[in-house]
Amino acid sequence: MNPFAPIARIPAVRFAALPGEFRRKSRTEWADANKRGEAIDSFLEGPAFDRAGNLYCVDIPFGRVFRVSPAAEWTLVAQYDGWPNGLKIARDGRIFVTDYRHGIMTVDAATGGVTPVLRAYRSESFKGVNDLHFAANGDLYFTDQGQTGWNDPTGRVFRLRTDGGIDLLCDAIPSPNGLVLDTAERVLFVAVTRANAIWRLPLFERGPSPKVGTFIQMSGGTSGPDGLALDEEGGIVCAQAGLGVWRFDRLGLPTHFVGEPGSFVTNVAFGGADRRTLYMTESETGEILTARLPIPGRVMASQL
């Protein structure tokens, strides 16, 4: 018996490109470490929507946060001395950023001010926080990736509870990256980039996750799974940088492939009035791509 149905191909189109006024191709400290010294003009990540339908994203090497209107108009919201990697919007409208240098931050969309929220765990600095995800109750899940990989499998996943407590859910991970909760919020899925896999972390109210396992073992690409999103059927949409975007059903079987092989999509977010439009950050080109998916994305905290 073959459990795999034919995989549907969905084309991606360009929604918006970072305007020339914001592009300044140059070497940066971040690119020296992560792009082998290549001169770049941007590296977009962390797409997330506010209630008005504006898309926010970050530009890691230049410490920038952008807002893109439904009409594809770009606004620089903030620029500071940091490396913002992930972005999500809380139910109360606050913008949270995972900053590789500084930890968890909030960004004021009106003033551009950046405020630290969490800089360390038990007085120890983070390796380099990467992505974040809000539960319906306000708990914040985030990954601490740094430069970890199979040569240094010490990445971590944390939960910052609404009461201020912090749970170390899992350590010894070779490059934890994007993350998303299942529909019941009893399981956390984590993209483990260097292992080319998506892990499954069972959750309890307190303490670490037991029986952590591999949910999907992927192959191919030039990097590994990166940003994750969930749809209303419990399916996972996964950006696999250097290959494209996959949609897996709730059992982990592949059902759809978005875009063209070779694209460097790093993260994804559902948007549009019906939440069927997938927005993707193409980090190599500084573009936002879109595609229409058959199943709506799950409502995020900022949309409740």
Side-chain angles (χ1 to χ4, degrees):
M1 176 180 175
N2 182 6
F4 295 94
I7 297 173
R9 295 288 295 271
I10 300 176
V13 299
R14 188 175 78 172
F15 165 68
L18 184 67
E21 64 188 280
F22 296 121
R23 293 182 183 264
R24 49 180 189 182
K25 201 166 189 177
S26 61
R27 287 186 60 174
T28 68
E29 185 181 354
W30 181 88
D32 284 348
N34 295 278
K35 303 298 287 185
R36 299 186 180 183
E38 178 184 349
I40 60 175
D41 59 22
S42 62
F43 195 92
L44 302 182
E45 255 276 18
F49 282 93
D50 65 12
R51 288 190 180 91
N54 296 302
L55 176 68
Y56 285 78
C57 63
V58 300
D59 177 21
I60 302 174
F62 297 103
R64 299 186 291 191
V65 177
F66 289 103
R67 179 173 59 245
V68 187
S69 75
E73 299 166 334
W74 293 71
T75 301
L76 179 62
V77 173
Q79 185 167 15
Y80 67 101
D81 181 22
W83 292 340
N85 201 106
L87 184 150
K88 289 293 188 297
I89 302 175
R91 185 182 295 191
D92 61 11
R94 288 183 297 162
I95 299 171
F96 281 73
V97 165
T98 43
D99 186 286
Y100 189 98
R101 282 178 163 171
H102 305 298
I104 308 296
M105 320 281 283
T106 57
V107 177
D108 189 318
T111 67
V114 179
T115 304
V117 173
L118 184 66
R119 289 176 167 170
Y121 172 66
R122 293 182 176 175
S123 76
E124 178 186 52
S125 298
F126 294 112
K127 296 174 180 293
V129 293
N130 182 282
D131 208 351
L132 66 165
H133 180 76
F134 279 102
N137 68 352
D139 287 349
L140 178 62
Y141 295 81
F142 64 95
T143 52
D144 186 25
Q145 180 188 43
Q147 297 294 309
T148 63
W150 277 126
N151 60 312
D152 177 26
T154 57
R156 302 178 291 183
V157 177
F158 290 93
R159 173 174 53 200
L160 175 60
R161 303 192 305 271
T162 54
D163 63 9
I166 304 174
D167 294 316
L168 173 57
L169 299 178
C170 186
D171 56 9
I173 309 173
S175 193
N177 198 324
L179 67 172
V180 71
L181 290 164
D182 74 338
T183 54
E185 300 197 341
R186 299 180 64 181
V187 169
L188 182 69
F189 296 107
V190 179
V192 183
T193 302
R194 307 305 166 208
N196 216 0
I198 299 174
W199 285 12
R200 183 180 185 276
L201 277 62
L203 298 174
F204 289 86
E205 289 186 7
R206 295 288 189 275
S209 295
K211 298 183 179 180
V212 174
T214 300
F215 179 63
I216 301 170
Q217 183 62 61
M218 304 172 72
S219 63
T222 58
S223 178
D226 199 321
L228 303 179
L230 198 76
D231 64 33
E232 286 192 344
E233 292 185 358
I236 293 177
V237 176
C238 172
Q240 188 178 8
L243 185 58
V245 176
W246 295 93
R247 192 264 175 184
F248 300 94
D249 68 16
R250 62 183 183 84
L251 297 178
L253 299 178
T255 62
H256 297 79
F257 182 83
V258 182
E260 294 296 326
S263 65
F264 208 82
V265 173
T266 54
N267 216 328
V268 294
F270 282 98
D274 59 1
R275 301 193 313 282
R276 292 178 187 266
T277 301
L278 187 71
Y279 290 74
M280 300 162 275
T281 50
E282 215 297 354
S283 298
E284 294 288 334
T285 61
E287 297 176 328
I288 307 294
L289 308 178
T290 61
R292 291 287 292 173
L293 268 63
I295 304 161
R298 186 162 171 78
V299 176
M300 300 294 290
S302 62
Q303 300 168 319
L304 292 172

